Amino acid sequence: MHKSEVRRIVDDTLDEMGLRECADRTIGNWHLRGISGGEKKRLSIALEILTHPRLLFLDEPTSGLDSAAAFSVIQTLRQLAVDGGRTIISSVHQPSSEVFTLFDDLCLLSSGECVYFGDAKLANQEAELDPLLKYSTTEIRERLVEKYRISEYAMMVRSTIHEITKIEGVMEEVIRGSQASWFKQLRTLTKRSFTNMSRDFGYYWLRIIIYIIMAVCLGTIYYDVGTSYTAIQARASCGGFVSGFMTFMSIGGFPSFIEEMKVFTLERHNGHYGVAAYVISNFLSSLPFLLTVSWASASITYWMVKFRPGFSYFAFFALNLYGGVSVIESLMMIISALVPNFLMGLILGAGVIGIMMLTSGFFRLLPELPKIFWRYPVSYIVYGSWGLKGAYKNDLIGLEFEPMMPGQPKLKGEYIITDMMGLSLNHSKWLDLAMIFVLLFSYRLTFFLVLKVKEYASPYIRVAYTRFTVKRLERRASFRKTLAMTSLSKRHNPPHPMAIQEGLNSPMPY
């Protein structure tokens, strides 16, 4: 589809939903205010009708709205149904009289039983019984159910359902998935995600400021650390802070990840784009911000502490920080896909990152870690151990430090790495850096697989959870008592009105 055609469809949708003024206002003043509750409702509906669905299901489109906003939303939906030839099915609780008059057909349910199904304007005729004030709520419902069961509307519904069940074959070809090419999806998602990240001050801009402040604090504490004997521990501590705590601060993006996953879930269910396009676009859109975080922080800390002079050493320091921050971002994306609860996700993420820091080789040297599990394989699959080893090699190799006692020979950086820290020099620092990016790729791949598995497994998980919940409720005495009272009451009730409809157990529109 040509870009001009897409633009026209979007403009028409904005006009149909009464969002033109909102769009013009928000584009220029996004940083001043958001959109109102009614505008959010209409925006969510507009996103669904962009693809021109023939059938649209809406669950409580008026919930949380005042009477004027509710009437505006339903009136817009009615106009869409009339002008666009769409069928719109909506569930509404306690609509106002003005909203009720906008509906064409009505399916009225009470305690799971059909009380009325037919023309909404004729529903009041069904309720014209004897004065109902003398009856209890249960008796009123039973009388309404019985009257509908023997009405012409119920007979018409049963006849229509019977005819529908005779239809065989596919009546119309259904188009599944996005009609845009994969690269079009990737380009559009990357642009949108980058725009959202740029507009949301708390997504990256605030974190960039915090990182710069932290870099200044770190630089002043370890300012011109030098090459004395005590500087050995100071340099190691500074490297440990950068590889551990400064990357740990990326957990601050988790709230934004949670909100982003909600949008992804909705759009993925509608088949707007693929999982791979989403994962790659998220990485590409965040790349400029994470590079800014790492290079800005590295520029301040590196020159204030006065690590090894030379651009290649500085570049390694900055790339090492970028790799660690990106890995933590990827880890938090995985957690946001697994645990959609903000508090649980934050606790889980902090716990996992804490374990990574413990096995990175700073709090306890890598050779001294328990060989089973913590040394092999945990220390090899966390970014911290590779980042810290690379940082030590980048800073210490080629330097000489004052001895602990005057008169003793100076300590070379290689000796400190191998004998004092127990690390090997069999491979270069660039391999350590490359392993961080291998882990970054692995984490992103894991994020992709989690989304795919969750997509296929979520229906089975919901069914299993529902069964578990029902069994748990059945073990409660209060629930069993309520169930027994309901069963006793139904002995005197007429049969379920839909139970006699050709073996079907749910009504269908006609």
Side-chain angles (χ1 to χ4, degrees), residues 9 22 44 54 66 90 108 118 134 178 198 211 226 231 236-237 293 307 330 334 379 411 413 419 430 446 490 492 495:
I9 293 174
C22 174
S44 63
R54 296 179 179 86
D66 56 43
S90 173
L108 182 60
K134 60 183 179 180
S178 175
S198 301
Y211 265 88
S237 299
V293 166
F307 285 116
S330 302
I334 296 173
S379 67
L411 301 175
D419 291 66
W430 298 105
T446 302
K490 285 193 173 185
H492 307 287

Side-chain angles (χ1 to χ4, degrees), residues 330-351:
S330 302
L331 173 64
M332 297 310 296
M333 292 294 289
I334 296 173
I335 293 176
S336 67
L338 292 173
V339 185
N341 179 276
F342 169 72
L343 184 59
M344 292 177 60
L346 207 59
I347 295 173
L348 178 61

Side-chain angles (χ1 to χ4, degrees), residues 223-438:
Y223 181 76
D224 195 6
V225 68
T227 56
S228 64
Y229 183 79
T230 56
I232 299 174
Q233 179 60 37
R235 287 174 178 267
S237 299
C238 185
F241 188 89
V242 171
S243 298
F245 288 99
M246 288 192 75
T247 55
F248 177 83
M249 292 193 302
S250 292
I251 198 173
F254 184 71
S256 301
F257 301 156
I258 287 288
E259 296 302 318
E260 191 171 313
M261 287 306 304
K262 293 178 182 178
V263 177
F264 165 77
T265 302
L266 175 63
E267 295 179 340
R268 177 58 184 161
H269 285 168
N270 291 332
H272 293 333
Y273 47 79
V275 176
Y278 169 74
V279 173
I280 297 175
S281 68
N282 178 271
F283 172 77
L284 294 177
S285 58
S286 64
L287 181 63
F289 298 99
L290 296 182
L291 285 175
T292 301
V293 166
S294 57
W295 284 79
S297 303
S299 299
I300 296 171
T301 301
Y302 197 86
W303 302 115
M304 290 185 71
V305 178
K306 295 186 179 180
F307 285 116
R308 293 282 302 277
F311 178 76
S312 64
Y313 298 104
F314 165 74
F316 182 91
F317 184 87
L319 288 174
N320 199 17
L321 178 58
Y322 164 76
V325 171
S326 298
V327 167
I328 295 300
E329 288 248 324
S330 302
L331 173 64
M332 297 310 296
M333 292 294 289
I334 296 173
I335 293 176
S336 67
L338 292 173
V339 185
N341 179 276
F342 169 72
L343 184 59
M344 292 177 60
L346 207 59
I347 295 173
L348 178 61
V352 173
I353 297 174
I355 293 175
M356 290 182 172
M357 293 169 61
L358 282 174
T359 55
S360 63
F362 175 74
F363 294 98
R364 191 172 189 187
L365 298 179
L366 287 176
E368 297 176 359
L369 288 174
K371 296 297 186 292
I372 299 178
F373 187 69
W374 294 117
R375 183 73 174 101
Y376 311 104
V378 173
S379 67
Y380 281 84
I381 59 176
V382 300
Y383 77 97
S385 61
W386 300 101
L388 205 57
K389 285 188 292 187
Y392 289 158
K393 294 175 183 177
N394 184 62
D395 180 46
L396 298 178
I397 292 179
L399 292 183
E400 291 185 345
F401 293 84
E402 298 296 329
M404 184 172 62
M405 301 295 295
Q408 294 181 347
K410 290 187 175 183
L411 301 175
K412 292 186 176 182
E414 292 83 349
Y415 172 81
I416 295 173
I417 293 174
T418 55
D419 291 66
M420 296 180 65
M421 297 180 177
L423 301 179
S424 173
L425 294 177
N426 293 333
H427 59 270
S428 71
K429 62 182 181 182
W430 298 105
L431 179 59
D432 294 319
L433 181 63
M435 287 303 301
I436 295 180
F437 286 91
V438 169

Side-chain angles (χ1 to χ4, degrees), residues 60-77:
E60 293 288 343
T62 60
S63 63
L65 302 181
D66 56 43
S67 57
F71 180 80
S72 175
V73 169
I74 299 300
Q75 188 179 47
T76 303
L77 290 174

